[in-house]
């Protein structure tokens, strides 16, 4: 039987002393015990370390493997309110979906009163609304049924920042697309049709990748494999990139920009591309570091571009 | 939000403590010394120009015109400082430096240069004087720091003058932007309206108002940061002698 002493990282005062802890308990168990003494500090917001400046101890670390004698000394830091990933994604996606619709239906106080609840004479405006809504509904469905998240939670502050970004941008681009003075694309029907075709292809591609990533993690965390192309042609992008889901996502937004011929949409696409490239590069680096047999042809997000 | 530029680099007391700071290489240091000397000289030219023009004319009005060109040249030249951070020869945040320099450049070109009618305003003189004194002190501070011979006087000046210069500069900037508003609205300067084939609009007038509003949260934060830095850097006065 071991004992665990938990101290505050900043003040170094003892917050909690756990008696009679099983040596094969995990950090997760200890967090649970700490939670009993501090009901407000649920496990997800606890950061436990061996030293005040040390690395976060993982939840599956076993107590007896940690250094220290009969009494283990751990340092606690509060990570702040945390939200489950599902909750985060739902709020990030429901916002843009609904906000866009407010603009599409020209709810009062957005445009001049004579346009309230009117509809645009341009078919592309309705098509754009359908595409935008489809995109976020698909994401919501994926969040609920498909996506398997690796980390547990996200800090509240980050989620608020993300929401401001997604909601704000969708309001901004919806404002222009549904504006009474909206100008349809310069090359007319042809431009819209081609853009729509690419849009649908990329959405199908993006979904295929999410589905295949999901079946990859389905075998449990112990089995570490990297994704491979399958019989589905959309997954053949895996021959060329590590994160084809991001590639397809960029494709979706590029085609939407062309379909609507709207600068704010193009700006959103650009920012999204920059952010996803950063994520893709990180993932790519992690893959190449972990797997010695990782295909050399694969690039992070764009084929042949390192 | 730019009056006396903030101390983002070299704020830790370089008082001969045991930590050996890993600075830029010799070539980079030489370049930076030259850069900072040139900038100090440039802003001195502006200072001298202002004084001479005042003595010649006998009034404060319209002094902007006498130093317009060197002001534009040297303030725009400060864009290089973003590059210095990006390349790594200066240990500051690219974002913070970028923000500071760009806001100065914005005021110089997008407000004062672009709206001729504000150039004769006294508010312009207010921020130009604030910037001039600040920059002379700041660039000499960097020069001496790089050469490891920082006189206490310069360090003291850098961390003390801002107390007056910062609010003075901010006041000048805000009044200038405010003065520009009616002309921007009348001429539709830098603005794009609907309909257009890219489905985009931009109202410079509203943008300027939002810029002014942004001073409200930003200025106190930057000011109090400088006050805290002052306490940290100068607070050791009782412990050390004035020898660096």
């Amino acid at each position: 039987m071991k004992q665990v002493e938990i101290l505050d990282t900043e003040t170094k005062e003892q917050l909690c002393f756990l008696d009679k802890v099983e040596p094969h308990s995990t950090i997760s168990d200890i967090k649970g015990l700490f939670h009993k003494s501090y009901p407000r500090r649920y496990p997800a917001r606890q950061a436990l370390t061996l030293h005040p400046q040390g690395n976060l101890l993982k939840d599956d670390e076993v107590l007896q493997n940690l250094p220290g004698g009969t009494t283990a000394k751990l340092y606690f830091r509060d990570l702040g309110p945390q939200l489950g990933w599902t909750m985060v994604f739902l709020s990030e996606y429901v916002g843009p979906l609904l906000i866009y619709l407010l603009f599409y239906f020209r709810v009062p106080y957005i445009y001049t009163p004579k346009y309230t609840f009117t509809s645009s004479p341009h078919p592309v405006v309705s098509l754009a609304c359908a595409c935008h809504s489809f995109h976020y509904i698909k994401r919501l469905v994926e969040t609920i049924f498909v996506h398997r998240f690796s980390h547990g939670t996200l800090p509240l502050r980050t989620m608020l920042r993300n929401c401001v970004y997604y909601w704000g941008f969708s309001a901004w681009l919806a404002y222009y697309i549904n504006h009474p003075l909206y100008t349809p694309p310069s090359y007319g029907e042809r431009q819209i049709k081609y853009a729509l075709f690419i849009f649908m292809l990329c959405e199908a591609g993006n979904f295929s990748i999410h589905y295949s990533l999901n079946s990859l993690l389905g075998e449990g965390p112990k089995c570490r494999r990297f994704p491979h192309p399958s019989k589905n042609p959309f997954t053949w992008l895996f021959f060329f990139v590590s994160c084809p889901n991001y590639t397809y996502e960029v494709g979706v937004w590029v085609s939407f920009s062309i379909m609507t011929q709207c600068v704010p949409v193009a700006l959103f696409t650009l920012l999204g591309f920059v952010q996803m490239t950063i994520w893709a590069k990180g993932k790519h680096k992690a893959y190449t570091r972990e797997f010695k047999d990782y295909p050399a042809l694969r690039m992070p997000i764009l084929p042949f571009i390192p | 939000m730019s009056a006396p530029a903030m101390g983002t680099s070299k704020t830790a007391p370089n008082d001969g403590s045991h930590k050996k700071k890993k600075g830029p290489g010799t070539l980079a240091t030489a370049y930076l010394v030259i850069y900072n000397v040139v900038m100090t000289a440039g802003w001195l030219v502006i200072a001298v120009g202002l004084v001479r023009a005042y003595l010649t004319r006998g009034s404060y009005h319209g002094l902007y015109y006498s130093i317009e060109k060197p002001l534009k040249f040297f303030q725009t030249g400060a864009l290089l400082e973003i590059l210095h951070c990006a390349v790594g020869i200066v240990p500051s945040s690219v974002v913070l430096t970028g923000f500071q320099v760009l806001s100065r450049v914005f005021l110089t070109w997008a407000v004062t240069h672009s709206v001729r009618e504000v150039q004769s305003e006294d508010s312009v003189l207010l921020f130009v004087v604030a910037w001039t004194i600040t920059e002379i002190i700041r660039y000499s501070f960097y020069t001496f720091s790089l050469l490891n011979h920082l006189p206490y006087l310069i360090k003291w000046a850098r961390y003390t003058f801002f107390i007056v210069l910062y609010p003075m500069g901010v006041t000048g900037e805000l009044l200038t932007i405010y003065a520009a508003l009616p002309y921007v609205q009348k001429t539709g300067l830098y603005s794009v309206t609907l309909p257009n084939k890219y489905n985009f609009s931009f109202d410079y007038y509203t943008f300027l108002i939002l810029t002014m509003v942004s001073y409200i949260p930003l200025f106190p934060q930057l000011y109090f940061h400088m006050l805290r830095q002052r306490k940290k850097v100068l607070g050791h006065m009782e412990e050390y002698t004035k020898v660096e």
Side-chain angles (χ1 to χ4, degrees), chain A residues 176 179 181-183 260-263, chain B residues 194-202:
Chain A
Y176 286 106
H179 200 281
L181 296 176
Y182 171 77
T183 311
T260 55
Q261 199 166 301
C262 179
V263 162
Chain B
L194 290 176
N196 59 72
K197 73 175 173 178
Y198 294 115
N199 294 302
F200 178 63
S201 68
F202 180 71

